[in-house]
């Protein structure tokens, strides 16, 4: 006969989001958004550095201008965004699972309700910060020509023109990622309203 470990919750003690919207958002966040980033993001951005070319087309110039064009690659930025935004919810659910706090407790006990809402507000704040950073880093459109400032290279020509591969596909992908961020924030807000409504008007079983 095996004794259950109180530190690690058993599968039947795992906590799901306490709301319908939260469960839908978990599915949306965990499947659609990650699939879009992992599969389509790699297809669009995977070989960008190899096909990024400037005039004159030399390896050191291409690398210098590409690093100027992409201080951080979009795949890395969006992956960090997903991890950071998921972290507050993961910490809360881990704590709830270890303390055997089920879905009903989160909705019925004010202290757990407030903590869960605060975790949602923190995730909204992180999404807003990521949204602003994405605008600052990538803008809303990828132009076919990037003007590179090559003055520090000591070349005769200080301004170089570089070709950005698949700029139209990247623009569509950018818009899609902005859309995912907006949908995520709307779902967070809707979940907060659902929690407040269910706390004020509990369902009778």
């Amino acid at each position: 006969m095996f004794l259950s470990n109180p530190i690690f919750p058993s599968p039947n003690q795992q906590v799901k989001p306490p709301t319908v919207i939260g469960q839908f958002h978990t599915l949306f966040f965990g499947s659609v958004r990650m699939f879009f980033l992992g599969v389509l993001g790699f297809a669009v951005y995977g070989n960008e550095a190899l096909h990024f070319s400037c005039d004159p087309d030399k390896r050191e110039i291409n690398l210098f201008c590409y690093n100027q064009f992409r201080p951080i690659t979009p795949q890395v930025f969006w992956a960090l965004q997903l991890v950071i935004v998921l972290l507050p919810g993961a910490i809360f659910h881990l704590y709830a699972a270890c303390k055997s706090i089920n879905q009903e407790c989160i909705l019925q006990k004010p202290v757990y309700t407030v903590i869960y809402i605060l975790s949602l507000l923190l995730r909204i704040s992180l999404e807003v910060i990521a949204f602003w950073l994405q605008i600052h880093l990538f803008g809303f459109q990828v132009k076919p020509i990037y003007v590179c400032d090559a003055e520090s290279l000591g070349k005769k020509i200080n301004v170089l023109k570089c070709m950005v591969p698949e700029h139209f596909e990247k623009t569509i992908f950018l818009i899609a990622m902005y859309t995912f961020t907006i949908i995520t924030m709307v779902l967070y807000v809707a979940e907060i309203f659902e929690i407040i409504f269910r706390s004020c008007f509990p369902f009778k079983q």
Side-chain angles (χ1 to χ4, degrees):
M1 182 176 179
F2 296 96
L3 297 177
S4 59
N5 192 332
I7 299 177
F8 300 98
S10 59
N12 58 351
Q13 293 178 322
Q14 293 177 359
V15 180
K16 296 180 180 179
T19 63
V20 176
I21 295 177
Q23 294 175 17
F24 170 77
H25 172 261
T26 301
L27 176 64
F28 174 82
F29 201 110
S31 58
V32 178
R33 197 172 179 181
M34 289 185 178
F35 172 82
F36 195 88
L37 174 60
V39 178
L40 298 182
F42 179 79
V44 173
Y45 290 97
N47 297 321
E48 184 182 46
L50 296 177
H51 298 103
F52 186 89
S53 60
C54 303
D55 185 19
D57 188 8
K58 294 183 179 179
R59 184 175 182 274
E60 65 273 12
I61 294 177
N62 292 341
L63 289 175
F64 175 84
C65 291
Y66 181 75
N67 290 332
Q68 188 180 116
F69 174 64
R70 295 288 193 207
I72 181 173
T73 58
Q75 308 101 301
V76 173
F77 175 83
W78 289 319
L80 288 174
Q81 177 186 357
L82 292 179
V83 171
I84 292 173
V85 171
L86 281 174
L87 189 60
I91 293 175
F92 175 84
H93 287 292
L94 179 62
Y95 172 80
C98 293
K99 295 295 183 179
S100 299
I101 302 171
N102 56 27
Q103 296 169 281
E104 289 74 16
C105 289
I106 296 175
L107 294 175
Q108 293 173 0
K109 294 187 177 182
V111 61
Y112 296 143
T113 303
V114 171
I115 293 175
Y116 187 76
I117 290 178
L118 288 176
S119 72
L120 291 176
L121 292 175
L122 178 58
R123 281 179 270 181
I124 293 174
S125 301
L126 293 173
E127 288 282 11
V128 171
I129 294 172
F131 191 85
W132 179 83
L133 286 175
Q134 184 176 339
I135 295 175
H136 180 72
L137 291 172
F138 310 125
F140 291 96
Q141 181 182 9
V142 179
K143 298 180 180 180
I145 301 295
Y146 174 72
V147 179
C148 175
D149 183 5
E151 183 178 0
S152 60
L153 288 177
K155 303 293 182 181
K156 295 181 179 179
I157 302 176
N158 295 331
V159 178
L160 304 176
K161 290 184 178 181
C162 303
M163 299 291 295
V164 180
E166 302 172 343
H167 61 93
F168 184 70
E169 293 181 8
K170 292 180 174 64
T171 299
I172 295 176
F173 200 89
L174 275 177
I175 295 173
M177 295 306 293
Y178 283 122
T179 304
F180 283 144
T181 302
I182 293 173
I183 292 174
T184 299
M185 288 189 289
V186 170
L187 289 174
Y188 281 140
V189 174
E191 186 176 2
I192 291 175
F193 278 105
E194 182 183 350
I195 292 173
I196 295 174
F197 178 81
R198 292 181 63 177
S199 298
C200 296
F201 306 98
F203 295 100
K204 295 182 180 180
Q205 296 181 352

